[in-house]
Amino acid sequence: MQLNRIPRQFLHIRSLINLTVRSFMDLKVLVSSLNDFASLSLAESWDNVGLLVEPSPPHSVRTLFLTNDLTEEVMEEALQKKADLILSYHPPIFQPLKRVTWKTWKERLVIRALENRIGIYSPHTAYDAVPHGVNNWLAKGLGACSSAPLQPATASSYPTGGSFRVEFTACPDDNLDTILSSLRGVPEVSLITTVPARVEGEEQTRVGVNCTQQALLHVVALLSQNSLLYQKTEIVSLQKPLLEDTGMGRLCALKEPASISTLVERVKSHLRLSHIRLALGAGKSLESQVKAVALCAGSGSSVLKGTESDLYLTGEMSHHDVLDAVSKGISVILCEHSNTERGFLLELQKELAVHLQNKICIIVSERDRDPLQVV
């Protein structure tokens, strides 16, 4: 007897149904994975990053919705596409909310998110800092180049015990127990180590004390009471190690020099813009050659200021910062704030799909756009 075969289109529908049933992540697990993708410790201290709105648990996420700015129009789109978590590059909640009413648009975003059980997560400057983030994506628009952070990031977990380490060697008759007891009583002394040491054939003890800058004054004052100990005291400033290719902004060295006009066209193509704003540096023309470009997505004045390069690339700068750069012979390309960030979302979509092992659906907003238009 011949068995009837299931038509191919029904097999496809069944596979989609099975995928829908299996493809979800618990919100807490997903947030942890997002934090692993780009550590929130890399964000600027003034920023507001991480999970900003959380529906009551348990909350499963089947659809992750990516946007640069979460406006009310974009929120409507997220609802239509049945998003369970919105990843908004810019945090929609920045200043603390004193109330949540229907009066302002940001309050309404929070209300609609909670009413519809949608979480809101924002990475913002953490994505600026990581090697696979916004600034590296922006640098791709320049052509072949090597790059390094303008403001390198440091490891957040080092040193674990204070900013300074005080080291000295004590002889057996230096009343070490009393000294150690006094040191333990100093606030913000976080670590005291003792190891045997042989100095010029004599058994001694090497002591290390980790402390903050404020505690350092008290530690030094204690040791100065014993002139012999004080003469053998060393103070080391503990510096956190730099993280490779991580930090704010990028200084890009072009592999082949290019004219300003060529770079303008490359940037417009990369950002899919018909127009940008250009200020030529003093003594420069469109055909002037560029070897080094300093860039920062978004508003780059604070990061770019004082950097030596041929060209600045950012979203926006103040009038006076532009004048200052131009006076130094540095040309400036401005593309409007979010235009230097939004295109990264398509790359992020692919990167997160791999990072999350394709467990959930990831979509990019079609309504998100820069509020400023050329007319």
Side-chain angles (χ1 to χ4, degrees), residues 258-266 278 280 285-288 290:
S259 68
I260 293 175
S261 61
T262 297
L263 289 175
V264 165
E265 293 307 315
R266 287 179 185 175
L278 171 67
L280 286 171
S285 71
L286 286 173
E287 299 311 310
S288 294
V290 173

Side-chain angles (χ1 to χ4, degrees), residues 64-90:
L64 175 61
F65 182 88
L66 309 182
T67 184
N68 200 77
D69 292 297
L70 181 55
T71 61
E72 290 189 277
E73 183 182 0
V74 172
M75 172 60 82
E76 187 62 38
E77 180 190 10
L79 291 173
Q80 292 172 2
K81 294 183 176 177
K82 302 187 183 306
D84 304 297
L85 178 65
I86 297 171
L87 188 155
S88 177
Y89 169 77
H90 286 138

Side-chain angles (χ1 to χ4, degrees), residues 273-295:
L273 298 174
S274 58
H275 298 81
I276 55 90
R277 291 189 288 166
L278 171 67
L280 286 171
K284 300 298 169 59
S285 71
L286 286 173
E287 299 311 310
S288 294
Q289 296 295 293
V290 173
K291 296 180 180 179
V293 180
L295 63 82

Side-chain angles (χ1 to χ4, degrees), residues 232-249:
K232 295 182 286 185
T233 297
E234 298 176 347
I235 301 174
V236 180
S237 177
L238 301 179
Q239 301 294 323
K240 296 179 180 180
L242 299 180
L243 296 175
E244 186 177 6
D245 298 327
T246 305
M248 298 302 166

